[in-house]
């Protein structure tokens, strides 16, 4: 089996290339931090495995996700390294390429986004680059599938043993060269490692690579450890960097070819002057999100959801009940299937059109290149609370799922900033909450659905930022990391990329409908049909009613006077999607329209809004709690997140309901 390690800078189209090569789909975001752990896929009809590693700027890791890449090289035996570069940013990208070429394994250099390079009026002679770098060089444009087949054939048809091992030997200063030769020989003679690996280890050690220095300490590589102080005192790190930079500039100057340019770069620059403007940037960001919610809740999503709801609660529910009667199903089983499973799971599935429209909008923003600008625009806000735009990226990802948002916090360098981002991520309104939002805004705010949902989303952001400022003061975070983000050129979104992105984000919701939501629906049906005395026909004597009525006095101050709503909130800890399905079961209806009418008798607009705020902020789902524990390495922070979120949710809902009741 041949293993290909896919490595490159962030935002070079690496994951898109991975998808094209392996005919699979991994999340593509067109911004830093999308890949935070390795992904694996295989090239069809071969035994070639491709490993997609997180984007890195160098092999010297700063963040947790970057350490994944260097540790992979140290601990795994990749046969080939496929180094993906942004052809339009080669000067910076080749700094990593040199480190990979010095590693000694066969390297294939992919100049991706070659179309952007041509639009800039520049091209590079491929043969010259290949000769100077000593490796195979291919040009690709992964977005348009250009060059992908040729690259795949290069990997498939050329046996690994026939690929030349790279032998890049830079002209480092004589004192560095002498020390490299001396340490390499000693490592080969005394520690039985290959000459290429020994040379690479030595250069990385001189370059103050923290992971390599820990590796040398662990293996007691005395030829390196004994010289560490001398390497640092003589500033070998800076001299190595300058040598590499000079080599890159010389190589690119020799290979450069000028061609006629287009106005694409100028168009990108003109758009950026508006959307990243210090004054206009934030209002534009808000307006874009408002448009997203209008499309999802007013113009497209809701009409489609209404049609799907009419189908599921009408013909599907009716004919299922008739079928079960005809085959002689017990009333107990009939109730479970019709009033439980179809009502609960079907009630959640009706919101798929709204969710898919929202995800399609997000995919368009990602593929066009706007999301990187959004991080830049919000950087000014994040700086005010002690974080930066890099922390906003996990928060935006959290709009899809808090779990992936928390995992994306690995890209943040400082441990305290990373912890703060992890703790505030659950306040982002994930897609799982959309079904319950949709029910209540349709019931109480039919003419302003998008505006109400937008206010909930931005309230989550405001709470997250306020808590971040609080944590900054508590944790005494004084030094902020510098936020650097590459702004890709704007692209017209491609339909296939938008569709795959939308489906990939939405299929998790559908999958949950068949697993967690199904289990939660059955659980709430059982709890609402059984009590201390066994099976009950009066739901007021069920376990659900007992639990809800016991806690009712606590929830009355925030406007919740229905025990059914309280019981449904508890199932939301399993997964937030289950809240709406639980309400379908507890209120004994398969129709979204009937449920909305029922809400009108139990809530007022202000109590409904207070409930939505509580749902936004209260206990994260089990998956999110587990991720907080794994990412922080501490049960303490997971438990803290549970109790602090309940307190914040209750306090804010209480204020909204009590103050709002004075005026409405």
């Amino acid at each position: 089996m041949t293993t290909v390690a896919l490595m490159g800078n962030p935002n070079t189209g690496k994951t898109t290339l991975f998808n094209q090569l392996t005919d699979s789909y991994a999340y593509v975001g067109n911004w830093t931090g999308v890949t935070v752990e390795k992904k694996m896929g295989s090239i069809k009809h071969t035994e070639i495995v491709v490993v997609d590693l997180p984007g890195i700027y160098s092999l010297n890791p700063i963040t947790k996700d970057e350490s994944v890449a260097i540790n992979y090289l140290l601990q795994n035996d990749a046969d080939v390294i496929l180094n993906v570069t942004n052809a339009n940013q080669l000067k910076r990208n080749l700094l990593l390429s040199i480190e990979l070429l010095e590693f000694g394994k066969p390297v294939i250099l992919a100049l991706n986004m070659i179309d952007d390079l041509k639009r800039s009026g520049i091209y590079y002679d491929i043969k010259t680059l290949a000769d100077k770098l000593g490796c195979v060089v291919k040009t690709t444009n992964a977005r348009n599938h250009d060059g992908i087949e040729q690259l795949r054939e290069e990997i498939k048809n050329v046996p690994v043993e026939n690929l030349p091992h790279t032998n890049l030997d830079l002209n480092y200063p004589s004192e560095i060269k002498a020390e490299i030769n001396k340490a390499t020989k000693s490592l080969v003679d005394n520690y039985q490692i290959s000459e290429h690996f020994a040379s690479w280890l030595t250069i990385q050690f001189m370059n103050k690579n923290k992971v390599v220095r820990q590796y040398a300490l662990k293996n007691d590589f005395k030829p390196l450890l004994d010289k560490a102080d001398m390497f640092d005192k003589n500033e070998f790190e800076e001299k190595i960097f300058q040598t590499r930079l000079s080599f890159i500039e010389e190589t690119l100057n020799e290979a450069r070819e000028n061609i006629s340019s287009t106005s694409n770069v100028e168009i990108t620059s003109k758009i950026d002057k508006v959307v990243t403007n210090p004054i206009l940037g934030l209002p534009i960001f808000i307006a874009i999100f408002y448009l997203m919610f209008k499309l999802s809740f007013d113009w497209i999503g809701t009409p489609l959801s209404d049609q799907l709801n009419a189908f599921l609660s009408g013909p599907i529910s009716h004919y299922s009940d008739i079928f079960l009667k005809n085959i002689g199903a017990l009333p107990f089983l009939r109730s479970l299937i019709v009033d439980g499973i179809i009502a609960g799971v079907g009630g959640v599935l009706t919101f798929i059109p709204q969710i898919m429209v929202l995800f399609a909008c997000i995919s368009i923003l990602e593929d066009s290149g706007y999301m990187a600008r959004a991080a830049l625009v919000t950087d000014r806000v994040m700086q005010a609370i002690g974080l930066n735009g890099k922390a906003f990226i996990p928060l935006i990802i959290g709009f899809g799922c808090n779990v992936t948002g928390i995992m994306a916090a690995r890209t943040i360098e400082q441990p305290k900033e990373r912890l703060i981002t992890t703790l505030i991520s659950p306040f982002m309104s994930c897609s799982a909450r959309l079904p319950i939002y949709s029910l209540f805004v349709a019931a109480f705010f039919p003419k302003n659905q998008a505006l109400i949902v937008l206010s909930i989303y931005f309230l989550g952001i405001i709470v997250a930022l306020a808590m971040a400022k609080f944590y900054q003061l508590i944790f005494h975070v004084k030094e902020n990391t510098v936020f650097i983000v590459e702004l890709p050129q704007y692209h017209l979104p491609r339909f296939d990329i938008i569709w795959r992105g939308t489906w990939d984000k939405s299929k998790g919701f559908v999958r949950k409908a068949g697993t967690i939501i199904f289990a939660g629906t059955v659980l709430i049906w059982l709890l609402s049909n059984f009590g201390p005395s066994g099976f009950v026909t009066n739901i007021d004597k069920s376990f659900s009613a007992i639990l809800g009525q016991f806690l009712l006095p606590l929830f009355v101050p925030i406007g919740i006077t229905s025990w059914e709503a309280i019981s449904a909130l508890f199932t939301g800890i399993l997964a937030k999607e289950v809240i709406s399905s639980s309400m379908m079961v507890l209120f004994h209806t398969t129709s979204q329209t009937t449920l909305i009418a029922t809400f009108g008798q139990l809530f007022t607009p202000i109590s409904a809004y207070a409930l939505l705020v509580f749902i936004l902020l209260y206990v994260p789902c089990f998956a999110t709690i587990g991720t907080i524990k794994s990412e922080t390495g501490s049960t303490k922070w997971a438990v803290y997140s549970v109790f602090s979120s309940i307190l914040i949710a209750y306090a804010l809902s209480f204020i909204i309901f009590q103050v709002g009741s004075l005026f409405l």
Side-chain angles (χ1 to χ4, degrees):
M1 183 178 72
T2 301
T3 303
V4 178
L6 194 61
M7 305 183 74
N9 283 191
N11 203 40
T12 56
K14 185 169 54 64
T15 301
T16 302
L17 196 66
F18 170 80
N19 292 336
Q20 300 290 348
L21 288 174
T22 60
D23 294 316
S24 59
Y25 185 80
Y27 178 40
V28 180
N30 202 10
W31 51 347
T32 304
V34 169
T35 306
V36 291
E37 56 187 11
K38 66 182 181 183
K39 299 185 180 79
M40 301 181 70
S42 58
I43 297 178
K44 280 187 177 179
H45 311 303
T46 71
E47 293 185 354
I48 300 172
V49 174
V50 182
V51 182
D52 182 20
L53 295 163
I56 53 174
Y57 290 106
S58 78
L59 291 181
N60 193 358
I62 298 175
T63 63
K64 286 178 69 177
D65 65 306
E66 290 179 354
S67 64
V68 172
I70 179 67
N71 281 317
Y72 181 85
L73 291 181
L74 290 171
Q75 298 168 12
N76 296 271
D77 191 23
D79 298 296
V80 182
I81 296 174
L82 177 55
N83 178 208
V84 184
T85 63
N86 180 342
N88 204 27
Q89 302 288 342
L90 266 189
K91 183 176 180 179
R92 187 185 67 241
N93 284 202
L94 286 179
L95 285 168
L96 173 64
S97 302
I98 288 174
E99 294 186 90
L100 298 176
L101 289 164
E102 289 177 334
F103 188 64
K105 289 287 184 180
V107 173
I108 298 175
L109 187 71
L111 303 186
N112 196 31
M113 304 182 182
I114 197 69
D115 55 330
D116 288 345
L117 177 68
K118 292 177 179 178
R119 291 191 192 103
S120 70
I122 298 173
Y123 196 70
Y124 294 110
D125 181 72
I126 303 305
K127 186 177 184 305
T128 302
L129 285 177
D131 291 343
K132 293 284 288 185
L133 297 172
C135 67
V136 176
V137 178
K138 294 289 181 181
T139 60
T140 60
N141 179 13
R143 279 177 51 82
N144 297 325
H145 310 277
D146 296 338
I148 300 298
E149 193 57 42
Q150 293 87 333
L151 180 60
R152 187 188 288 116
E153 291 303 313
E154 179 75 31
I155 297 170
K156 283 169 57 177
N157 297 334
V158 180
V160 173
E161 57 269 18
N162 290 357
L163 280 173
H165 280 248
T166 54
N167 192 28
L168 184 66
D169 187 15
L170 295 190
N171 188 27
Y172 291 118
S174 57
E175 70 271 27
I176 293 180
K177 199 79 168 176
E179 292 296 337
I180 292 173
N181 292 335
K182 192 186 302 181
T184 299
K185 186 176 186 307
S186 183
L187 287 170
V188 171
D189 292 343
N190 299 312
Y191 296 91
Q192 288 74 52
I193 59 178
S194 71
E195 184 177 347
H196 276 299
F197 187 54
S199 174
W200 177 82
L201 276 178
T202 303
I203 296 171
Q204 290 295 321
F205 191 93
M206 291 176 172
N207 210 31
K208 295 184 181 179
N209 187 313
K210 291 175 288 187
V211 174
V212 167
R213 290 202 170 188
Q214 290 169 2
Y215 182 81
L217 188 64
K218 179 182 176 182
N219 291 278
D220 195 28
F221 289 157
K222 291 188 180 297
L224 300 178
L225 298 172
D226 293 345
K227 292 291 187 74
D229 290 339
M230 189 272 283
F231 294 159
D232 297 345
K233 183 180 179 181
N234 288 289
E235 298 182 342
F236 278 12
E237 180 188 23
E238 177 62 24
K239 293 174 181 176
I240 287 172
F241 174 76
Q242 292 300 332
T243 302
R244 289 172 174 171
L245 196 60
S246 297
F247 171 77
I248 291 170
E249 290 174 346
E250 176 189 324
T251 300
L252 294 182
N253 286 334
E254 189 173 328
R256 191 188 315 273
E257 297 176 352
N258 292 323
I259 58 176
S260 58
S261 63
T262 69
S263 59
N264 184 264
V265 177
E266 294 177 8
I267 292 172
T268 293
S269 178
K270 288 177 180 177
I271 296 174
D272 278 344
K273 284 181 180 179
V274 178
V275 299
T276 63
N277 184 280
I279 297 173
L280 299 176
L282 207 53
I284 290 173
F285 172 75
I286 295 171
I288 288 172
F289 269 72
Y290 177 68
L291 178 62
M292 283 170 44
F293 291 124
K294 287 294 285 185
L295 289 168
S296 302
F297 290 93
D298 285 346
W299 298 336
I300 300 176
T302 297
L304 291 175
S305 288
D306 290 343
Q307 294 296 319
L308 185 57
N309 171 61
F311 176 68
L312 291 174
S313 63
I316 294 293
S317 180
H318 176 69
Y319 288 116
S320 296
D321 192 41
I322 291 175
F323 172 74
L324 291 169
K325 283 180 181 177
N326 290 338
I327 64 172
L330 295 172
F332 173 86
L333 181 61
R334 206 166 73 237
S335 175
L336 171 62
I337 294 174
V338 177
D339 300 327
I341 296 171
I342 294 178
V345 177
V348 174
L349 289 176
T350 59
F351 301 103
I352 287 178
Q354 291 170 318
I355 289 170
M356 291 191 73
V357 171
L358 183 63
F359 282 153
C361 292
I362 292 174
S363 295
I364 289 170
L365 293 180
E366 289 172 342
D367 193 45
S368 67
Y370 176 75
M371 277 301 194
R373 275 83 181 172
L376 181 65
V377 166
T378 55
D379 179 57
R380 301 179 186 95
V381 178
M382 302 299 282
Q383 290 284 356
I385 53 133
L387 299 175
N388 61 41
K390 184 173 278 192
F392 195 75
I393 292 172
L395 302 185
I396 289 288
I397 292 175
F399 283 154
C401 177
N402 290 157
V403 170
T404 52
I406 291 169
M407 291 175 66
R410 297 176 187 176
T411 61
I412 298 170
E413 295 92 340
Q414 296 300 327
K416 287 183 179 179
E417 289 186 18
R418 188 162 60 243
L419 174 61
I420 290 172
T421 306
T422 298
L423 292 177
I424 66 175
S425 289
F427 297 127
M428 295 297 100
S429 185
C430 66
S431 61
R433 296 173 172 95
L434 282 176
I436 196 67
Y437 293 169
S438 184
L439 283 172
F440 276 89
V441 296
F444 296 98
F445 314 100
K447 295 182 179 179
N448 297 290
Q449 294 189 44
L451 191 61
I452 295 299
V453 175
L454 181 68
S455 72
I456 293 290
Y457 270 72
F458 274 90
L459 180 62
I461 294 173
I462 291 168
V463 171
L465 298 183
M467 290 303 298
K469 186 63 178 179
F470 170 74
Y471 292 136
Q472 184 202 17
L473 298 175
I474 295 297
F475 297 156
H476 304 291
V477 179
K478 295 179 180 178
E479 294 184 5
N480 295 343
T481 53
V482 177
F483 176 52
I484 301 174
V485 62
E486 180 180 339
L487 300 180
Q489 290 190 25
Y490 288 106
H491 298 283
L492 282 175
R494 286 175 52 95
F495 176 78
D496 58 331
I497 294 175
I498 302 308
W499 167 246
R500 293 188 73 175
T502 302
W503 172 243
D504 185 67
K505 296 180 182 76
S506 303
K507 71 181 179 184
F509 187 84
V510 177
R511 191 183 297 117
K512 277 188 178 182
T515 53
I516 297 175
I517 298 172
F518 176 85
T521 298
V522 172
L523 174 64
I524 198 66
W525 184 89
L526 292 172
L527 290 175
S528 63
N529 282 273
F530 285 86
S533 60
F535 185 77
V536 295
T537 55
N538 183 358
I539 194 171
D540 290 333
K541 295 181 180 179
S542 67
F543 286 120
S544 291
I546 293 170
L547 174 65
Q549 289 166 357
F550 175 74
L551 294 172
L552 191 58
L554 289 175
F555 284 85
V556 169
I558 64 172
I560 302 176
T561 57
S562 163
W563 66 260
E564 291 93 343
I566 297 170
S567 296
L569 288 174
F570 271 87
T571 63
I573 301 173
L574 182 66
K576 293 296 182 282
E577 298 96 333
V578 183
I579 298 175
S580 56
S581 64
S582 296
M583 286 190 172
M584 289 277 191
V585 173
L586 290 168
F587 286 109
H588 291 292
T589 179
T590 59
S591 170
Q592 189 183 121
T593 305
T594 305
L595 185 61
I596 288 172
T598 304
F599 287 161
Q601 301 170 14
L602 299 173
F603 298 92
T604 64
I606 191 65
S607 65
Y609 192 82
L611 175 61
L612 293 183
V613 171
F614 188 84
I615 291 170
L616 166 72
L617 302 172
Y618 88 120
V619 186
C621 66
F622 282 152
T624 301
I625 295 169
T627 305
I628 292 173
K629 180 182 180 297
S630 63
E631 291 298 307
T632 61
S634 169
T635 303
K636 173 186 71 175
W637 288 118
V639 173
Y640 167 79
S641 181
V642 169
F643 286 100
S644 63
S645 60
I646 292 176
L647 181 63
I648 293 167
Y650 191 90
L652 202 53
S653 299
F654 178 85
I655 293 170
I656 289 172
F657 178 70
Q658 294 297 331
V659 174
S661 296
L662 297 176
F663 299 97
L664 297 175

